[in-house]
Amino acid sequence: MNYNQDDVKEYILKALIKEGIKHEIHDFESGVSIIDVWHGNKFYVIQLEIELIGLSLVDDENPGFDTIPDERFFEFEPFEKRFNEVLV
């Protein structure tokens, strides 16, 4: 694992605020953070866990009732690229 959870969270939140994208943050005692993101007519969930960053699109085909993300990233750079493609 090659990422700092706090730095990634700060990066995500700054980008979402800068772009005016609606979001909501959920921090858990376990250290995990979940960021719900509404962008256009889509709803994404970003999971910041100790060992990975998860990104999921929640829609009719994937209602998001599990904890397994659609995409998993174990380093920041690949996540950053995908985040910018999808959300920024």
Side-chain angles (χ1 to χ4, degrees):
M1 183 69 223
N2 185 21
Y3 90 101
N4 179 297
Q5 194 172 356
D6 292 330
D7 290 347
V8 172
K9 184 177 176 182
E10 183 177 335
Y11 172 84
I12 292 167
L13 296 178
K14 281 184 179 182
L16 295 174
I17 290 167
K18 179 182 175 190
E19 297 295 324
I21 298 172
K22 180 181 175 185
H23 61 280
E24 194 172 290
I25 307 158
H26 309 277
D27 293 317
F28 298 92
E29 289 183 23
S30 65
V32 171
S33 294
I34 303 290
I35 304 172
D36 296 333
V37 180
W38 293 265
H39 185 53
N41 61 353
K42 295 183 179 178
F43 176 59
Y44 296 92
V45 176
I46 300 170
Q47 297 167 236
L48 299 177
E49 300 184 19
I50 303 304
E51 296 185 12
L52 67 90
I53 306 166
L55 177 63
S56 299
L57 171 63
V58 178
D59 58 17
D60 292 338
E61 294 178 23
N62 179 18
F65 292 119
D66 59 27
T67 59
I68 301 169
D70 296 347
E71 299 178 67
R72 297 177 186 181
F73 303 91
F74 296 94
E75 295 187 1
F76 175 69
E77 290 76 18
F79 167 77
E80 179 183 28
K81 180 179 178 192
R82 183 70 175 133
F83 175 80
N84 288 321
E85 289 172 356
V86 173
L87 294 169
V88 180

